[in-house]
Amino acid sequence: MLEPEVFAEIFDRYAPALHRFASRRLGDEAADDVVSETFLTAFQHRRRYNSGYGDARPWLYGIATNVIRHRRRTELSHYQATMLDGARPTSAGLVEDGVTTLAVNRPLVSAIAGLKPGDRDVLLLVAWAEFTYEETARALSIPVGTVRSRLNRARTQVRTALEANHG
């Protein structure tokens, strides 16, 4: 169990990266709410945290992914707006992954938006949060084999969508 005093340190360590992740999925405004709700939920359920893992990141991202899952409409609206407007600046003022052209950004965002929610969650935890398969499995409370199959399916769908757009 995590003691309440530890939460300030955990917040300072993980909140900025968690905000960037949520911002990429929902936009800056909703990201603030996601981070707040994530840490409130984490604090309320701190007794469930397995301190044997040492790294709270997968646990927090799992909570954040559940919060985002409840905001699917906002996430899909964010992707649709990005497809219409092109590359949008993140909270850091940088363009997502250095992608600045609409020709590249729109098909990629469209492909991500077209994924099944579980496949999208796995892909974005691996790609944007740089999680290992094991961390992704812990975050989403699914077996590593499920992470592998969802990631493979998501990568195949995104690759196929991008090839169809360029071909």
Side-chain angles (χ1 to χ4, degrees), residues 42-165:
F43 186 78
Q44 291 170 340
H45 298 283
R46 68 189 181 278
R47 293 185 194 286
R48 295 182 189 167
Y49 177 70
N50 182 346
S51 58
Y53 288 124
D55 183 6
R57 201 169 66 112
W59 180 59
L60 292 170
Y61 276 76
I63 295 169
T65 298
N66 286 332
V67 171
I68 291 168
R69 195 174 286 144
H70 287 80
R71 298 168 181 251
R72 284 287 181 217
R73 287 187 188 158
T74 303
E75 182 179 27
L76 294 176
S77 294
H78 177 69
Y79 292 144
Q80 289 168 345
T82 300
M83 286 185 285
L84 293 173
D85 297 343
R88 291 179 161 223
T90 64
S91 58
L94 302 173
V95 176
E96 310 277 19
D97 294 331
V99 178
T100 59
T101 63
L102 293 177
V104 173
N105 213 20
R106 280 185 180 151
L108 178 58
V109 171
S110 178
I112 291 170
L115 295 173
K116 291 180 182 177
D119 294 353
R120 181 172 42 244
D121 291 341
V122 167
L123 177 67
L124 299 181
L125 283 171
V126 170
W128 290 351
E130 300 179 357
F131 273 21
T132 64
Y133 292 172
E134 291 76 17
E135 289 171 325
T136 303
R138 265 193 8 238
L140 299 177
S141 299
I142 59 176
V144 172
T146 302
V147 169
R148 291 180 194 281
S149 63
R150 287 182 183 179
L151 185 59
N152 183 52
R153 186 171 43 244
R155 285 176 171 163
T156 299
Q157 278 186 253
V158 168
R159 187 179 313 113
T160 300
L162 293 177
E163 288 171 355
N165 190 273

Side-chain angles (χ1 to χ4, degrees), residues 27-38:
D28 283 338
E29 291 178 32
D32 292 338
D33 293 338
V34 168
V35 171
S36 296
E37 195 172 333
T38 296

